[in-house]
Amino acid sequence: MSVARTPPARAGSWPGVIEAYRPYLPVSAKTPVITLLEGNTPLIHSPALSERAGRRCRVYLKYEGLNPTGSFKDRGMTVAISKAVEAKSVAVLCASTGNTSASASAYAARAGLRSIVLIPSGAIALGKLSQALIHGAEVAAIEANFDACLALARELSARYPVTLVNSVNPHRIEGQKTGAFEICDALGQAPDVHLTPVGNAGNITAHWRGYREYRAKGRIRKLPVLLGFQAAGAAPIVRGRVVPRPKTIASAIRIGNPASWRSAIIARDESRGAIASVSDRQILDAYRLLAQEDGIFAEPSSAASVAGLLASAKAGYFARLGRGRPLTIVCILTGHGLKDPERAIKSSQMPPTLPPSLTAVAKAVGLGRR
Ligand SMILES: *Cc1c(COP(=O)(O)O)cnc(C)c1O
């Protein structure tokens, strides 16, 4: 029997976002690349949503839940952690609604760094908490909301030798712009419209930067219109003022004072787009629709982009924008549905418990005569 040789550091041909987009990123030959082969997520055509969006609309879903830790945060984290190692940092710190902590703790584990995580107590989804814990982060649950946790994290990083890896770290934004690159690479051009949930507003900022850089380099000709969606109970950008106690079931976008507020407004205005709000009801309807018509399980916060798509279609937005021309539309699905199994169960009917009887089971599951 032959002994298998040590497998290569990467499987297949996708090298992770740093190697895939190196000329666009703030790395040099001296930067140690810490990667879990993030990125290269599928852009999935949705016949069901295309139909709902309206005539001549072609809707694609960028399924970021398929990143290594289950959200787009990995795109930024590979760059932030690689740069932290390059800078000889030994510990990283973040405040998180969940996914940043999941990503930071995984990449820190990979790099041999300590990770410290501040989460709003009782307010993060179970799957995300389980990730931070199993990757060995030092987790502190703070009796405050995300915005207060971020303020605390900023202060700690100013006073102690830890690297802050929230999206206020510019390397995070740099890495996250690769999401836009991949969309353009897959379509051969930019989409007409790009819809995304907005929380701390780092991702809408990053995507806009990505599209602009691709256009500057001649990779695409036109830029998309950006539509961002906040939850109605956590919509500071829509209202034009800080929301002190943001409320929504979409915990990843439960943010009342976004760190990248100003750059989100710039992205909105330069792209001739909009940032609007969707209700929790609309978010949950879109969440179930995605799962039941497209077979895609995304977390509730992700469904905000689809809720926004449906609301925009209903308001005649795409018909006005397209004026009879075909429109290519991309919705970002930011995180995986398994992050929050409790929400999925709460949003469904619990299965009946039955005796092991053929007739009883057939009847209960809708087979045979009722
Ligand atoms: C982080 C996150 C968001 C919000 O992204 P921002 O960059 O903070 O606007 C949305 N959905 C999910 C699943 C996230 O993890």
Side-chain angles (χ1 to χ4, degrees):
M1 208 171 72
S2 69
V3 177
R5 273 181 302 160
T6 312
R10 57 187 164 99
S13 58
W14 179 258
V17 300
I18 292 180
E19 294 304 351
Y21 296 108
R22 183 174 270 277
Y24 296 88
L25 296 172
V27 292
S28 72
K30 280 189 299 223
T31 313
V33 175
I34 309 299
T35 180
L36 292 165
L37 307 188
E38 60 295 314
N40 198 27
T41 55
L43 188 66
I44 305 171
H45 176 233
S46 169
L49 289 175
S50 299
E51 173 127 7
R52 286 172 187 268
R55 230 169 67 76
R56 310 204 74 185
C57 288
R58 202 170 161 80
V59 176
Y60 294 90
L61 303 167
K62 181 70 170 160
Y63 193 14
E64 292 288 274
L66 295 188
N67 274 295
T69 77
S71 83
F72 73 82
K73 301 294 198 298
D74 295 341
R75 295 179 182 279
M77 207 54 75
T78 181
V79 180
I81 298 289
S82 297
K83 295 301 282 186
V85 174
E86 183 178 2
K88 305 267 188 291
S89 178
V90 294
V92 296
L93 166 71
C94 68
S96 181
T97 62
N99 282 331
T100 298
S101 66
S103 188
S105 51
Y107 281 79
R110 180 99 188 161
L113 303 180
R114 281 179 62 200
S115 62
I116 303 163
V117 166
L118 309 185
I119 54 169
S121 156
I124 85 167
L126 213 56
K128 305 176 187 182
L129 179 61
S130 74
Q131 289 177 287
L133 294 174
I134 199 66
H135 289 304
E138 284 149 74
V139 180
I142 312 296
E143 291 169 320
N145 64 23
F146 169 82
D147 302 285
C149 290
L150 180 56
L152 200 58
R154 288 178 123 156
E155 221 170 295
L156 282 167
S157 72
R159 290 195 193 188
Y160 296 93
V162 290
T163 302
L164 187 64
V165 293
N166 280 101
S167 58
V168 294
N169 178 327
H171 303 310
R172 281 275 311 279
I173 304 287
E174 288 296 308
Q176 284 171 206
K177 72 191 181 188
T178 61
F181 295 165
E182 288 180 16
I183 291 167
C184 297
D185 291 344
L187 295 173
Q189 59 174 333
D192 296 294
V193 190
H194 171 118
L195 296 92
T196 185
V198 174
N200 220 12
N203 216 30
I204 192 168
T205 301
H207 282 135
W208 184 239
R209 188 179 298 174
Y211 286 120
R212 291 190 43 146
E213 287 185 14
Y214 246 32
R215 192 182 60 165
K217 287 267 160 38
R219 303 289 299 259
I220 53 172
R221 289 228 191 107
K222 55 165 189 174
L223 293 168
V225 171
L226 261 52
L227 301 182
F229 294 94
Q230 301 194 294
I237 299 177
V238 179
R239 291 160 166 238
R241 60 188 151 84
V242 170
V243 175
R245 275 176 295 280
K247 273 204 195 75
T248 167
I249 53 96
S251 56
I253 54 173
R254 190 186 294 144
I255 293 175
N257 188 11
S260 299
W261 189 324
R262 197 175 299 183
S263 51
I265 297 230
I266 292 170
R268 177 195 71 187
D269 295 346
E270 287 185 351
S271 76
R272 299 192 187 137
I275 296 179
S277 65
V278 283
S279 69
D280 279 6
R281 163 67 65 89
Q282 288 174 299
I283 289 172
L284 287 173
D285 285 348
Y287 169 67
R288 274 188 299 262
L289 191 83
L290 265 175
Q292 294 176 6
E293 289 192 352
D294 273 316
I296 295 177
F297 191 19
E299 68 174 282
S301 300
S302 305
S305 61
V306 174
L309 173 94
L310 297 172
S312 304
K314 210 167 189 181
Y317 178 81
F318 301 121
R320 281 198 301 282
L321 189 73
R323 280 186 261 112
R325 288 175 301 120
L327 286 182
T328 302
I329 301 170
V330 171
C331 293
I332 307 293
L333 300 182
T334 45
H336 203 291
L338 285 172
K339 294 273 190 177
D340 194 352
E342 288 176 309
R343 177 57 59 188
I345 291 168
K346 262 191 223 156
S347 306
S348 313
Q349 283 200 329
M350 284 306 280
T353 304
L354 300 166
S357 137
L358 187 81
T359 46
V361 174
K363 191 171 161 208
V365 300
L367 297 169
R369 268 180 298 139
R370 279 160 198 265

